[in-house]
Amino acid sequence: MADNERWLTAHHDPLAALYTFSSCMALADLHGDGEAKLIIADLGTGAYNMKLKVYKGTNLMSENTLIDLPTGVITFHMDTTEPRVPAVAVASGSYIYIYKNLRPYFKFTLPTLEVNPAEFDAWGQARDELLDVSMLYEILDSLRQEVGECGLTTRSQRFLMCPDHASQTAFLEQHKGFILKRQTVVTCVSTLKKSHAEDDAISCLVLGTESANIFILDPEAFTILNSMSLPSVPVFLSVTGLYDVEYRIIVACRNGQIYTLKRGTKIGRPTAELTSQPVGLIRRDKTIIVATMDHHLHSFNNKGKRLWCIRLPGAVLCLECLEVRTLSLTLVALALADNRVLIYRDKHLVDTIHTEDRVAAMRFGRFGREDNTLVLVLKGGGLVVKILKRTARFDIQDTDGPAQGLVVKLNIPKKTKLFVDQTMRERENCVLMHRVFQHDLYRLRLSTARSYVQALETSSNPISLSQTEPLKLSAQVLGLGPTFKLRVELQNTSPSSPSLHLAVIFHCDDRVYSVNKSYIQIPILVPGIIHVAETLVTCVSELGISDTVRVFVVKGKASRPLLTALINMPVAEVFMAA
Amino acid sequence: MYKLGEQQQAGTIQPILCVMNCSKKTDTVEIRSNNSVASFKEDTATMAEAPSSPMNPVAETPESHVNGMTATVPPGSAIKTKSRPRKAPELQTVERRNWLIHLHYVRKEFDVCKQLIREQLEETRGMCEYANYVQGLILRQEGKIQESFELFQLCNILNPSSVENIKQMARALFLLGKHRLAVEAYLQAEMKLDKPDWELHHNLGVCYMHLKDHEGAREQLLYALEQNKHQQTFASLAKIYLLENDIPSAINTYRAAIEYFPENAELHTTLGLLYMQIGKYQPAFEHLGTTLTFDPTNTRAILAAGSMMQSHQDFDVALTKYRVAAQSIPESPPLWNNIAMCFFGKKKYVAAISCLKRANYLAPFDWKILYNLGLVHLTMQQYTSAFHFLSAAVNLRPTKGHIFMLLAIALTYLDDEENARQAYEQAVTLEARDPSVCLNYAIFLKNHDDKEGALRMINEFEVRMVKFRQSTGADLDTEVIENGAKLAMLLGVDGSAFHKKSSHTRLRADDEANQEPAKPVNEPPSNSPPPNEDEEISANNNLPGAGIILPLDHSIDPAETENLDKMESELAVTTHMHFKDEEPVMPSGDSLEKDLNN
């Protein structure tokens, strides 16, 4: 396998039971002992059992319970104290929980949003009992029509969800004494160095919220340094630069657009429009790399000009930037739904890692004392740690190139000696062959035509196309024998005129078969309706042979039948067994 | 609900500073974090007491400072909690799972996503807009368009101000084929938008295209292009131009698209094929070449470029290209047809027949393959087989003069003079431009002692030849001219006039013949099969030199191949236009085959 050449599997725990995303993983030296730890915010079951887990090497070092689903985990330096150990920030719901030395330190609450004044008044009046429950419901309902579901506070939304009067009253009683507030939720989180670019310099937090805002937080005072707005909800963030000098935040949003925010701007500038939802966003050097839901990997420059676009062999689950400093290379790893991780250098595929399950999250960086480590969390919860070999190189030419197809030979069917012989024979006797063939062809046509005429003359065809009585007949034989059931379906195919005085007659060799009802009168046949006539036919012959049964359709006292069907009877099973 | 319970369980609220002081072992971490959360809750409660300017970060600043302070002042916060009889009931925001739903949706983990949505909708009694929205998107991906439309309608009721919901409703209507309703919905969405949106106008344009309102469609698509350049929009616009038979405009559209997407193989291929359609082979070849540098396995480009190489007699290069294509589309009839004609050009007739038979197996009703089969068999002197393939081709395409000509040649060899004459007559009437048809007929007539008819035909040949030169600027195949000249000389009467006009060409023809010795060398064996020779000579005894002329029919075949190669490229182009639209062309062919085989 190709991955064995470049990657060592340092750790593999298929039972780690992790449920996480790339954004919920971080690698950092949390204790200042030179050994980087892996921090994973585990979403647990998706409803409870959320944990903040820290791995030291291959061992789980500590676990902290989280009360809500974590959206993202980042490590950052929030002060200048020695030793330089980073704090861990866990974004979850409307809060950012800050941990120092893996102990809870501070909780930041997102600023509340502006409450609709009409809504505020309504609740105020309800508290003062100027409004009763049903009136409040009506006011809020009409307000929802106006501003939409998401324009209301959570309390109004929940109030509107109450199905009956009693529960609405209870809800009002329970909540009316409290201040009305409208909160939002963090959707993505990142860091931005404040004034120095060193690795251990103080960083600000950058938050994207469900209210389509981006906030930059001061790390020391936890005040909002800058608040910017976007046209849609941010999903992925990529931040570069320094807050005090110049910075650039690239945001992929839920409307499938990429926006750029710079120092001094308040509103995101549309940079690139994607035709599908982004699955991951990476910024390296001066290019933005985005994987989209329609199996493409796009590359844009900072201005939004498309540099290249490649089609991927499958759906992308996550994207990770591999910055291999020893090789001064920046690669992009893509986890695909077909249990592979593809590693691209620009638009060239340079490596593939096969895993036994889909990779749900990836993080590359320094882990333990090893610089180039790729941590993979599998869909089934497994944890895999792979170390890049120091001898590994990612040269473009060592991939399987396009020239591969050229070597393959064309699969041309071989011709046998017989073919050659026949060719020679044809060359020698072509005129004769042609004449014989033409002659036989004429005879075949003649005999076909004769049979056709004969069939028409004796009405022995099962479909009558005559103008007066257009009829269609089909017959079925049911049963295993010796008694069979003959089922004849008659249909009048004329557009309007009904058929009268029709009868079905069965005719067979009476030494072989005896027919129960050899004459069946057919009632008036309405056009289009299928009429079924059935009779039993018993095989009376001891010889175990089968014969044919003729079915005639006659009209009145005419001497010639309208239709004829010839039924080849099967051999009775009794005789077959004997 | 669980969370609420948990918080209440952790009722003994310890101030955070104490916790930090008494840190001993890891197993207490859990409780600690809970405690801290509980105390955090207090902070929020205090913070919420300043709602006057909630969005203002300046007002926030002291507040959060206070928060930090309160956290470090344990007794105060503890007293506060006790003094209050009950806590503010924590209401979970309806939108709190949106990010998770979205993340799972974009990763196409629809089962997880649906589970989440179900939980979310249960909890919010179906009121979560985003959950409904994503549910609609997933249902659309699963092909349940009507159901997804209903969900988007629900979203629109929940949030009537959102344009996105109306756009998705319109999209669902479009997918349901209700284009007129979709247009109305899009127009409604447009009214609500404050700034123009590429997607909306593009989709509106496509709707108009399906409603056959090309004018409106073009307008919308051009407007969409003003907003943003997208490949789809360019492609749709070009499609409209093609529907209006305006190939130059379509080409211009693709050229504009290529400026924005210089590495897009698909655009280059389509542009190349369009150039081929209007006969501009040079730019066509350039664009197809560009395609192949970016995507060496693009089969459409390979076939088109290969057929062009074939028409330049560059059979080996074409074959290497086809080899790549054969990896990905081994069941393509045009591919095998073109491969076969490469072998034919290289005089590997058996291989050519093998490949053609495979092509014929894959597409039994393709007259071009049958025609080529007839041609190859004619070259192989298998006149009976040739006759069969040609008559099959004629039945499928009774309007093509060239098939009748080949049929006539086959019939000549099969000694069926009457039918051959009829076939020639048919060929001359149906094919009004190609001079070689007349020449062949003239030779046939002369060999059958109809000098007047032959003269008439040789005159016709001359007229057509002049026209051909005027229209194309190129000259006919040297052998055709040479043989025409010989025949004119034999017929004697009008020969001088013919000679004068074609004398200079004849000279050139001779030069070329010297340069290309391959053709004369190859001819003798092919037209002298031992048994036939006697017959021919005896039949043509009364005409001096007739023995030389009759093989003319053969010598025209190479000329014919040229025409044929052109046809092949036509074939490649036309079939590939089909492929561009929809793939199912192939499966239907297969099923036909199966029917035939059965």
Side-chain angles (χ1 to χ4, degrees):
Chain A
M1 251 200 251
D3 48 322
N4 289 342
E5 292 165 15
R6 295 196 183 94
W7 299 89
L8 290 169
T9 304
H11 177 54
H12 182 198
D13 179 7
L15 301 171
L18 294 168
Y19 169 27
T20 190
F21 295 100
S22 297
S23 61
C24 293
M25 292 166 76
L27 290 163
D29 176 12
L30 287 181
H31 299 93
D33 55 1
E35 200 170 327
K37 319 287 185 301
L38 169 66
I39 304 132
I40 294 180
D42 184 6
L43 278 76
T45 60
Y48 47 87
N49 222 359
M50 289 76 77
K51 294 266 167 62
L52 181 68
K53 295 182 173 175
V54 179
Y55 284 84
K56 180 184 180 182
T58 57
N59 300 318
L60 186 61
M61 195 177 88
S62 80
E63 266 189 343
N64 288 21
T65 301
L66 301 169
I67 57 159
D68 199 359
L69 287 182
T71 315
V73 167
I74 45 168
T75 57
F76 69 111
H77 291 274
M78 54 189 289
D79 45 34
T80 50
T81 50
E82 291 289 336
R84 305 289 296 141
V85 288
V88 177
V90 180
S92 161
S94 309
Y95 312 103
I96 308 286
Y97 301 97
I98 314 285
Y99 292 80
K100 276 196 91 173
N101 292 319
L102 289 179
R103 268 163 235 139
Y105 175 72
F106 185 70
K107 180 171 99 170
F108 170 78
T109 308
L110 284 181
T112 50
L113 303 175
E114 208 165 347
V115 178
N116 190 305
E119 191 187 356
F120 189 77
D121 289 348
W123 279 102
Q125 286 173 2
R127 187 185 54 201
D128 304 340
E129 298 188 355
L130 298 170
L131 281 176
D132 70 345
V133 179
S134 49
M135 275 174 74
L136 177 68
Y137 188 88
E138 266 174 42
I139 290 173
L140 291 177
D141 200 41
S142 60
L143 196 61
R144 185 183 69 190
Q145 299 286 333
E146 201 181 304
V147 300
E149 176 80 13
C150 52
L152 298 179
T153 60
T154 311
R155 189 191 295 179
S156 304
Q157 286 171 346
R158 296 276 167 185
F159 179 71
L160 290 173
M161 278 171 211
C162 293
D164 50 45
H165 192 272
S167 58
Q168 282 167 14
T169 319
F171 187 91
L172 180 62
E173 279 308 311
Q174 199 186 356
H175 291 92
K176 67 181 179 185
F178 298 98
I179 293 293
L180 193 64
K181 57 182 178 177
R182 205 173 130 217
Q183 281 204 315
T184 186
V185 177
V186 183
T187 56
C188 47
V189 58
S190 183
T191 55
L192 166 64
K193 295 269 186 298
K194 192 146 190 292
S195 46
H196 299 284
E198 286 86 50
D199 277 348
D200 59 352
I202 295 180
S203 314
C204 306
L205 289 184
V206 183
L207 310 174
T209 66
E210 188 73 33
S211 58
N213 285 315
I214 299 282
F215 296 120
I216 300 180
L217 295 188
D218 181 77
E220 282 157 312
F222 282 94
T223 51
I224 292 176
L225 291 173
N226 198 358
S227 147
M228 294 168 276
S229 68
L230 291 165
S232 180
V233 184
V235 184
F236 300 106
L237 286 179
S238 166
V239 185
T240 45
L242 296 174
Y243 178 76
D244 289 338
V245 186
E246 176 65 62
Y247 61 89
R248 186 189 284 266
I249 305 175
I250 292 168
V251 196
C253 287
R254 263 184 218 163
N255 62 357
Q257 299 230 30
I258 296 174
Y259 296 93
T260 307
L261 295 159
K262 282 199 239 175
R263 185 182 166 84
T265 55
K266 279 283 171 196
I267 296 170
R269 178 178 65 83
T271 306
E273 195 172 43
L274 304 166
T275 47
S276 184
Q277 287 285 351
V279 189
L281 171 93
I282 283 180
R283 188 163 174 280
R284 41 165 297 235
D285 305 334
K286 287 192 161 46
T287 57
I288 308 167
I289 293 170
V290 192
T292 53
M293 233 179 125
D294 58 355
H295 307 185
H296 277 91
L297 189 66
H298 303 269
S299 170
F300 300 96
N301 69 3
N302 279 340
K303 296 252 160 42
K305 189 177 183 320
R306 185 184 305 265
L307 299 175
W308 46 263
C309 167
I310 47 172
R311 197 178 158 74
L312 299 167
V316 186
L317 287 178
C318 54
L319 204 62
E320 172 68 2
C321 186
L322 314 186
E323 205 178 332
V324 189
R325 289 198 184 151
T326 46
L327 301 174
S328 58
L329 263 183
T330 314
L331 306 166
V332 177
L334 290 161
L336 297 191
D338 55 357
N339 302 354
R340 281 190 295 170
V341 178
L342 303 184
I343 297 172
Y344 282 88
R345 178 175 171 176
D346 290 329
K347 56 177 175 172
H348 305 283
L349 179 66
V350 289
D351 198 11
T352 307
I353 301 175
H354 294 269
T355 51
E356 71 263 40
D357 197 359
R358 287 192 275 170
V359 173
M362 288 189 286
R363 185 56 81 184
F364 183 84
R366 183 181 163 85
F367 183 28
R369 293 181 184 277
E370 189 59 47
D371 268 333
N372 300 317
T373 312
L374 182 63
V375 182
L376 308 168
V377 174
L378 304 181
K379 186 99 175 79
L383 176 70
V384 181
V385 180
K386 291 200 179 271
I387 295 175
L388 185 68
K389 283 188 186 174
R390 299 199 179 157
T391 54
R393 295 288 174 272
F394 293 97
D395 296 326
I396 287 166
Q397 60 265 30
D398 61 16
T399 55
D400 38 2
Q404 154 195 50
L406 297 176
V407 223
V408 187
K409 277 197 79 177
L410 269 179
N411 169 24
I412 298 162
K414 292 279 174 290
K415 287 295 175 202
T416 54
K417 188 169 181 303
L418 189 66
F419 172 81
V420 182
D421 290 348
Q422 291 295 335
T423 309
M424 293 314 293
R425 196 171 79 87
E426 192 191 328
R427 276 191 193 177
E428 282 158 28
N429 307 307
C430 63
V431 177
L432 184 66
M433 282 165 93
H434 179 66
R435 285 190 183 150
V436 169
F437 179 83
Q438 290 294 339
H439 184 238
D440 289 354
L441 184 65
Y442 284 131
R443 290 186 63 145
L444 179 69
R445 282 179 183 159
L446 181 65
S447 87
T448 314
R450 271 189 189 142
S451 313
Y452 184 59
V453 169
Q454 200 191 2
L456 285 178
E457 275 173 353
T458 57
S459 308
S460 55
N461 51 330
I463 296 173
S464 156
L465 297 170
S466 70
Q467 292 299 309
T468 49
E469 300 289 339
L471 283 174
K472 195 175 139 190
L473 181 146
S474 63
Q476 267 183 301
V477 183
L478 308 174
L480 301 172
T483 307
F484 300 97
K485 181 178 262 189
L486 262 183
R487 205 182 132 92
V488 176
E489 288 182 354
L490 262 181
Q491 191 185 7
N492 184 348
T493 54
S494 75
S496 56
S497 58
S499 302
L500 297 161
H501 310 299
L502 292 181
V504 172
I505 299 170
F506 297 95
H507 172 75
C508 59
D509 190 340
D510 57 1
R511 284 167 300 177
V512 184
Y513 294 108
S514 86
V515 182
N516 192 11
K517 288 185 281 182
S518 57
Y519 177 86
I520 301 172
Q521 189 78 41
I522 304 291
I524 177 168
L525 261 190
V526 182
I529 305 292
I530 294 175
H531 180 81
V532 181
E534 289 175 332
T535 184
L536 293 175
V537 177
T538 314
C539 180
V540 293
S541 166
E542 298 288 312
L543 298 168
I545 50 163
S546 66
D547 198 16
T548 56
V549 175
R550 280 170 188 275
V551 184
F552 301 105
V553 178
V554 291
K555 185 182 171 78
K557 292 199 165 65
S559 58
R560 266 180 53 187
L562 288 170
L563 302 174
T564 311
L566 196 66
I567 302 169
N568 286 312
M569 298 295 285
V571 178
E573 290 274 308
V574 182
F575 300 118
M576 303 232 313
Chain B
M1 263 151 254
Y2 167 77
K3 264 130 234 156
L4 275 174
E6 195 183 49
Q7 284 152 30
Q8 273 145 17
Q9 271 167 25
T12 51
I13 291 149
Q14 288 185 338
I16 195 160
L17 204 67
C18 300
V19 176
M20 276 155 72
N21 293 340
C22 69
S23 61
K24 284 168 205 161
K25 284 191 176 176
T26 33
D27 57 345
T28 54
V29 168
E30 271 187 46
I31 309 161
R32 260 187 266 138
S33 64
N34 277 344
N35 292 343
S36 68
V37 167
S39 60
F40 283 152
K41 282 279 129 50
E42 291 313 302
D43 307 341
T44 15
T46 50
M47 197 167 110
E49 270 159 19
S52 51
S53 57
M55 274 304 283
N56 193 347
V58 184
E60 201 70 29
T61 319
E63 200 66 38
S64 39
H65 264 302
V66 172
N67 282 350
M69 300 296 218
T70 44
T72 49
V73 183
S77 71
I79 288 161
K80 244 185 199 171
T81 355
K82 273 174 192 154
S83 68
R84 193 171 284 168
R86 62 199 159 94
K87 288 162 55 100
E90 172 82 356
L91 288 171
Q92 299 281 10
T93 320
V94 176
E95 299 159 337
R96 74 201 162 98
R97 296 265 184 276
N98 287 6
W99 65 272
L100 191 62
I101 294 172
H102 179 82
L103 221 49
H104 280 299
Y105 168 68
V106 296
R107 290 155 66 123
K108 294 203 175 173
E109 293 168 330
F110 293 154
D111 41 347
V112 188
C113 206
K114 277 185 186 160
Q115 174 73 24
L116 269 170
I117 289 170
R118 196 157 51 241
E119 283 167 15
Q120 186 68 16
L121 289 179
E122 260 168 39
E123 193 202 312
T124 62
R125 293 177 216 272
M127 300 278 262
C128 183
E129 184 199 341
Y130 193 71
N132 280 318
Y133 181 82
V134 175
Q135 178 91 347
L137 292 178
I138 294 177
L139 284 172
R140 177 187 294 164
Q141 299 238 338
E142 287 171 349
K144 297 168 185 159
I145 313 283
Q146 185 63 42
E147 288 165 51
S148 81
F149 174 68
E150 282 155 20
L151 280 170
F152 291 128
Q153 261 181 323
L154 181 66
C155 288
N156 193 35
I157 292 167
L158 287 175
N159 186 3
S161 57
S162 160
V163 184
E164 202 56 40
N165 291 334
I166 304 177
K167 266 161 68 178
Q168 295 296 355
M169 274 165 67
R171 180 87 189 140
L173 285 169
F174 169 75
L175 291 172
L176 284 168
K178 297 172 181 167
H179 298 128
R180 205 165 292 282
L181 288 173
V183 165
E184 277 168 29
Y186 275 125
L187 290 176
Q188 198 189 334
E190 193 190 1
M191 298 226 295
K192 290 198 171 190
L193 269 180
D194 42 354
K195 60 179 179 190
D197 176 21
W198 159 77
E199 188 193 348
L200 196 150
H201 291 288
H202 171 81
N203 286 339
L204 206 49
V206 176
C207 280
Y208 277 130
M209 184 165 83
H210 284 280
L211 288 171
K212 305 233 164 21
D213 178 2
H214 294 171
E215 191 60 43
R218 202 165 47 216
E219 203 175 288
Q220 291 295 337
L221 289 172
L222 285 172
Y223 193 60
L225 279 181
E226 273 176 36
Q227 307 315 319
N228 215 328
K229 314 286 180 201
H230 274 282
Q231 195 192 329
Q232 291 102 311
T233 315
F234 281 117
S236 303
L237 191 59
K239 199 170 164 188
I240 290 174
Y241 284 128
L242 286 180
L243 283 174
E244 292 175 341
N245 269 332
D246 187 357
I247 295 179
S249 299
I251 286 180
N252 287 339
T253 311
Y254 276 115
R255 286 174 64 98
I258 280 171
E259 276 179 31
Y260 290 97
F261 303 95
E263 296 198 10
N264 191 308
E266 209 53 40
L267 290 174
H268 278 289
T269 318
T270 321
L271 183 58
L273 289 177
L274 280 178
Y275 271 126
M276 247 171 113
Q277 246 183 0
I278 58 165
K280 286 188 181 170
Y281 292 104
Q282 190 53 38
F285 198 74
E286 278 166 20
H287 284 290
L288 293 171
T290 323
T291 306
L292 291 179
T293 43
F294 291 125
D295 180 8
T297 54
N298 188 319
T299 45
R300 285 172 65 202
I302 287 178
L303 271 182
S307 74
M308 280 166 74
M309 290 169 192
Q310 247 174 301
S311 58
H312 290 101
Q313 317 285 323
D314 210 348
F315 300 119
D316 286 312
V317 185
L319 267 179
T320 43
K321 292 278 175 229
Y322 291 145
R323 243 171 238 163
V324 181
Q327 301 293 308
S328 46
I329 44 162
E331 295 195 345
S332 152
L335 172 75
W336 285 107
N337 177 64
N338 288 6
I339 290 176
M341 293 330 278
C342 278
F343 283 125
F344 182 69
K346 291 170 74 178
K347 307 234 185 307
K348 290 183 181 170
Y349 298 124
V350 176
I353 287 178
S354 291
C355 295
L356 275 173
K357 285 208 171 142
R358 174 176 287 177
N360 185 40
Y361 172 82
L362 295 168
F365 295 128
D366 193 324
W367 69 270
K368 283 177 185 171
I369 297 169
L370 288 166
Y371 175 89
N372 286 347
L373 264 170
L375 180 75
V376 180
H377 279 103
L378 215 54
T379 324
M380 288 284 278
Q381 298 159 20
Q382 287 174 274
Y383 303 113
T384 322
S385 306
F387 171 78
H388 284 296
F389 289 119
L390 288 169
S391 66
V394 141
N395 278 320
L396 291 169
R397 181 59 74 98
T399 52
K400 202 82 187 164
H402 280 112
I403 314 177
F404 279 104
M405 183 182 79
L406 288 197
L407 198 60
I409 294 169
L411 284 167
T412 316
Y413 282 103
L414 291 170
D415 263 357
D416 192 346
E417 188 191 332
E418 190 51 41
N419 285 322
R421 195 184 296 274
Q422 279 183 15
Y424 268 126
E425 286 294 345
Q426 198 59 261
V428 171
T429 39
L430 287 174
E431 177 58 52
R433 280 181 308 158
D434 191 354
S436 61
V437 182
C438 295
L439 181 62
N440 276 339
Y441 192 21
I443 294 165
F444 170 81
L445 288 171
K446 183 169 184 305
N447 286 343
H448 290 84
D449 294 338
D450 185 353
K451 221 173 176 181
E452 278 171 41
L455 268 174
R456 206 177 64 238
M457 272 302 130
I458 200 82
N459 287 336
E460 176 73 23
F461 167 70
E462 200 187 321
V463 171
R464 285 188 183 190
M465 191 169 70
V466 172
K467 269 189 195 161
F468 181 83
R469 279 181 191 146
Q470 281 167 354
S471 61
T472 59
D475 215 336
L476 281 172
D477 191 272
T478 48
E479 288 181 65
V480 177
I481 297 170
E482 230 174 290
N483 287 315
K486 270 185 203 161
L487 182 71
M489 201 161 61
L490 281 173
L491 287 167
V493 192
D494 218 17
S496 54
F498 181 78
H499 277 302
K500 270 176 199 165
K501 281 184 184 168
S502 61
S503 56
H504 62 287
T505 52
R506 262 188 78 200
L507 280 173
R508 241 198 292 159
D510 288 338
D511 291 346
E512 279 176 35
N514 290 338
Q515 283 161 8
E516 288 181 299
K519 273 178 187 167
V521 170
N522 265 355
E523 259 175 36
S526 69
N527 47 18
S528 57
N532 282 2
E533 199 176 33
D534 292 350
E535 273 182 33
E536 276 173 23
I537 289 167
S538 63
N540 303 321
N541 256 349
N542 44 356
L543 278 174
I548 312 161
I549 296 165
L550 189 68
L552 250 184
D553 300 27
H554 274 302
S555 66
I556 277 142
D557 292 347
E560 194 44 47
T561 28
E562 267 201 2
N563 286 334
L564 191 79
D565 283 350
K566 264 177 214 158
M567 265 186 243
E568 277 151 33
S569 47
E570 247 177 66
L571 175 65
V573 173
T574 47
T575 44
H576 281 275
M577 289 310 207
H578 278 303
F579 288 177
K580 194 187 72 180
D581 285 337
E582 274 307 313
E583 286 285 81
V585 177
M586 303 278 294
S588 69
D590 285 352
S591 62
L592 270 177
E593 255 159 51
K594 269 167 208 157
D595 290 348
L596 279 180
N597 292 342
N598 291 342

